Amino acid sequence: SRGLGDVYKRQLFIIKIINVLRRLSMNIYNLRYFVTLARIRQYTKAAEELCITQPSLSHAISQMEKELGVKLFEKTDIR
């Protein structure tokens, strides 16, 4: 019979696996956001195509820039 310690270790392992899968999923979304924005070159239009809000796209790109330590896009005024 297994003790509570084994059950606890198994639960921790499952939680770690779930967290890795969530992180991987978020990285795939971020990569999709990056590729779409690079192709379209406009945050608003890229966000529309991705079916997300423009602030959500901006936030995702900012997080990627922080994580990578580089500026991915130069923002310019198109007025």
Side-chain angles (χ1 to χ4, degrees):
S1 87
R2 294 196 170 124
L4 287 178
D6 290 337
V7 172
Y8 180 72
K9 285 179 189 175
R10 179 173 286 160
Q11 287 175 342
L12 283 179
F13 179 72
I14 291 170
I15 290 169
K16 286 180 184 178
I17 295 294
I18 290 169
N19 286 335
V20 167
L21 291 173
R22 281 184 182 152
R23 179 112 174 117
L24 178 61
S25 172
M26 290 307 296
N27 286 339
I28 291 169
Y29 274 106
N30 285 349
L31 182 58
R32 187 169 156 246
Y33 295 169
F34 172 80
V35 169
T36 302
L37 182 56
R39 179 173 48 81
I40 294 177
R41 298 182 178 191
Q42 289 183 14
Y43 277 81
T44 303
K45 288 183 181 180
E48 285 174 7
E49 184 172 307
L50 292 163
C51 299
I52 62 172
T53 64
Q54 185 273 327
S56 295
L57 178 58
S58 291
H59 179 73
I61 297 297
S62 292
Q63 290 302 110
M64 287 176 68
E65 290 174 337
K66 281 182 192 172
E67 202 171 304
L68 297 170
V70 293
K71 207 69 169 138
L72 296 173
F73 296 98
E74 291 290 323
K75 291 187 180 180
T76 58
D77 233 359
I78 1 174
R79 292 178 207 184

